[in-house]
Amino acid sequence: MKLLEYKAQELFEKYGVPVMKGVVIDSIDDVALKISDAALEYPVVIKAQVQVGGRGKAGGIQFANDGQQAQAITEKLLFSDLKGFKVNKLLIVEKAAPDKEWYLSIMLDRLTKCPLIIFSALGGVDIEETAKTDPDKILKIPINPLLGIQDYIIRYMLTKTGIDKNLFKDMKIILKQLYSLFMEYGCMLAEINPLALDKNGKIIALDGKVDIDESAMHRLPDIMEFAKTLPASPLVKEASEFNFLYITIEEEGDVAVMSNGSGMLMSCIDLISKKGMQVGAALDLGGGATAERIKEAVRIVLSNKKIDKLFISIFGGITRCDEVAKGIKLAMEEQKENKTVIVRLEGTNKQEGVEVINSIKGSVITVDNIPQGVKELSSGRCV
């Protein structure tokens, strides 16, 4: 669950991380009055609230010097389409005047199996680009979950980046509070970019991103309520009607993955990503899928115009391989666009399933294992 910025800032405030004073609006009426009621001073920043990065470059972050400008920008941004997402809310905050900007995040690191601090003195920019051009400017510090945030971590961060050591106390408070948020809310990522130092020596979070593990949401009633306010994408809604879990991954990805288990899905996604390909979507079938439901699953995934290749990996137990194969065949018989489907079947009625797949006309390829399927995806033989 990717939280919108305003919700991330609410959590920051809850945990004592300083943020800019602001107001969330969902109507174009009386914008100047709402800014006044929130006691905001001009100039202000008006930010589109969408679950996608790159808002600034897409025109989703704009500045207003007075109420008239704020009204005009609101009327232009609110309910508009931004990078394929409808803007239903705007966050308006006072414009900051940072003296310095840093990057700070805590993420779940699969390599160390620990929370990982990522910190850089180069904030306010694309951290991925910094990682490519100036990797030495980024610190990565694993956190021992049994010890939490220790003083030496803060000292190391300040020393390695040349930041004033007099900021030790403030940085410690912010990092400890961010870590508490990360752990208590079951986060996959808690990010502040930029974390700014203003001319008065105050450290403040100017922008925030929080991703929460879906499996933790049952114990987070405030996040459950927030999730109800988000408009689900049509494919997510349609998949849920069949009790499928459809997950959008990378916006520009042209590969989709389908499986009957989240572990297998993640393994496939990791291998595909390591080959330099982008996974646009994943669909978890769950167990016991019939041919008719498999047909609908394939149809839903391939209806995504950006998806050219679909990798299906099935371990047949409750879900029989021949049922899966029949569903794929039914879907491909109705598929009008030239898209490639690669199928790996293992388990109950595997041979019968392979025979059905091999009888399908068009771009359907069978493989014996996941690495072979990934190799086919990257071979250039696919559409």
Side-chain angles (χ1 to χ4, degrees), residues 16 20 24 63 82 88 97 111 124 147 179 211 221 245 266-267 307 314 317 330 334 336 347 349 376:
M20 295 298 293
V24 178
F63 303 92
L82 188 74
N88 291 309
L111 183 63
L147 299 177
Y179 181 65
D211 296 352
L245 177 61
M266 288 188 287
S267 297
I307 299 299
I314 299 294
L330 289 171
E334 297 180 2
K336 296 179 180 179
N349 292 356
E376 286 289 345

Side-chain angles (χ1 to χ4, degrees), residues 100 102-104 117-122 136-141 149-175 195-197 201 203:
K100 294 180 181 178
W102 308 315
Y103 175 93
L104 173 64
I117 297 169
I118 301 178
F119 183 73
S120 175
L122 300 178
D136 294 339
K137 302 293 185 182
I138 299 177
L139 301 181
K140 297 181 179 181
I141 310 168
I149 303 297
Q150 299 294 301
D151 286 1
Y152 74 86
I153 292 177
I154 316 298
R155 294 193 179 95
Y156 176 76
M157 288 167 50
L158 299 181
T159 300
K160 291 292 288 185
T161 55
I163 294 174
D164 189 347
K165 294 180 182 179
N166 290 326
L167 296 171
F168 171 85
K169 183 178 179 180
D170 291 341
M171 286 292 289
K172 178 180 178 179
I173 292 171
I174 287 174
L175 189 54
L195 178 66
L197 178 70
I203 302 176

Side-chain angles (χ1 to χ4, degrees), residues 297-315:
V298 174
R299 177 188 60 78
I300 289 169
V301 173
L302 295 185
S303 67
N304 183 334
K305 300 298 182 183
K306 293 183 179 179
I307 299 299
D308 289 327
K309 300 174 281 288
L310 169 60
F311 181 33
I312 302 174
S313 181
I314 299 294
F315 184 82

Side-chain angles (χ1 to χ4, degrees), residues 60-190:
I61 299 178
Q62 299 190 31
F63 303 92
N65 294 315
D66 53 43
Q68 188 175 356
Q69 280 190 336
Q71 181 70 44
I73 292 171
T74 298
E75 291 177 3
K76 179 181 178 181
L77 276 182
L78 195 59
F79 309 124
S80 68
D81 182 90
L82 188 74
K83 300 186 74 172
F85 290 80
K86 186 178 180 182
V87 180
N88 291 309
K89 285 184 172 65
L90 299 176
L91 172 63
I92 303 179
V93 297
E94 293 179 343
K95 184 179 179 181
D99 189 46
K100 294 180 181 178
E101 295 184 347
W102 308 315
Y103 175 93
L104 173 64
S105 71
I106 301 175
M107 65 174 291
L108 184 62
D109 182 45
R110 292 180 183 175
L111 183 63
T112 61
K113 297 180 174 60
C114 292
L116 181 73
I117 297 169
I118 301 178
F119 183 73
S120 175
L122 300 178
V125 296
D126 189 338
I127 193 66
E128 288 83 5
E129 186 62 29
T130 301
K132 293 178 183 177
T133 58
D134 291 296
D136 294 339
K137 302 293 185 182
I138 299 177
L139 301 181
K140 297 181 179 181
I141 310 168
I143 304 171
N144 185 330
L146 299 178
L147 299 177
I149 303 297
Q150 299 294 301
D151 286 1
Y152 74 86
I153 292 177
I154 316 298
R155 294 193 179 95
Y156 176 76
M157 288 167 50
L158 299 181
T159 300
K160 291 292 288 185
T161 55
I163 294 174
D164 189 347
K165 294 180 182 179
N166 290 326
L167 296 171
F168 171 85
K169 183 178 179 180
D170 291 341
M171 286 292 289
K172 178 180 178 179
I173 292 171
I174 287 174
L175 189 54
K176 286 181 74 71
Q177 295 307 102
L178 190 66
Y179 181 65
S180 295
L181 162 61
F182 181 89
M183 296 298 289
E184 292 172 19
Y185 268 76
C187 295
M188 307 295 288
L189 172 71

Side-chain angles (χ1 to χ4, degrees), residues 4-11 24 49 89 91 226 229:
L4 295 174
E5 179 191 0
Y6 82 86
K7 189 62 183 180
Q9 291 214 2
E10 285 180 10
L11 293 181
V24 178
Q49 298 298 285
K89 285 184 172 65
L91 172 63
F226 166 77
T229 69

Side-chain angles (χ1 to χ4, degrees), residues 155-343:
R155 294 193 179 95
Y156 176 76
M157 288 167 50
L158 299 181
T159 300
K160 291 292 288 185
T161 55
I163 294 174
D164 189 347
K165 294 180 182 179
N166 290 326
L167 296 171
F168 171 85
K169 183 178 179 180
D170 291 341
M171 286 292 289
K172 178 180 178 179
I173 292 171
I174 287 174
L175 189 54
K176 286 181 74 71
Q177 295 307 102
L178 190 66
Y179 181 65
S180 295
L181 162 61
F182 181 89
M183 296 298 289
E184 292 172 19
Y185 268 76
C187 295
M188 307 295 288
L189 172 71
E191 174 186 282
I192 304 173
N193 185 31
L195 178 66
L197 178 70
D198 67 18
K199 290 179 170 50
N200 298 317
K202 182 181 179 181
I203 302 176
I204 190 164
L206 297 188
D207 199 347
K209 182 188 295 184
V210 174
D211 296 352
I212 294 177
D213 189 341
E214 298 273 355
S215 62
M217 287 179 58
H218 71 280
R219 59 180 174 83
L220 303 169
D222 55 334
I223 302 302
M224 292 286 284
E225 286 302 311
F226 166 77
K228 293 177 183 178
T229 69
L230 296 176
S233 76
L235 292 181
V236 171
K237 284 185 176 180
E238 190 173 7
S240 67
E241 292 174 1
F242 294 94
N243 292 322
F244 301 141
L245 177 61
Y246 182 96
I247 307 164
T248 300
I249 301 176
E250 295 189 69
E251 186 183 355
E252 300 302 323
D254 63 351
V255 179
V257 180
M258 181 187 300
S259 185
N260 57 334
S262 58
M264 197 182 306
L265 275 178
M266 288 188 287
S267 297
C268 293
I269 292 168
D270 285 345
L271 290 172
I272 292 168
S273 298
K274 286 179 181 179
K275 287 292 185 179
M277 295 174 284
Q278 289 185 303
V279 178
L283 188 144
D284 189 345
L285 294 164
T290 62
E292 194 60 36
R293 293 183 72 240
I294 295 292
K295 170 191 170 184
E296 297 299 334
V298 174
R299 177 188 60 78
I300 289 169
V301 173
L302 295 185
S303 67
N304 183 334
K305 300 298 182 183
K306 293 183 179 179
I307 299 299
D308 289 327
K309 300 174 281 288
L310 169 60
F311 181 33
I312 302 174
S313 181
I314 299 294
F315 184 82
I318 299 174
T319 304
R320 297 192 343 247
C321 293
D322 59 327
E323 278 290 306
V324 172
K326 290 173 185 176
I328 295 170
K329 184 173 183 178
L330 289 171
M332 296 308 292
E333 286 174 349
E334 297 180 2
Q335 177 64 30
K336 296 179 180 179
E337 297 183 48
N338 189 20
K339 299 188 178 186
T340 297
V341 177
I342 296 172
V343 184

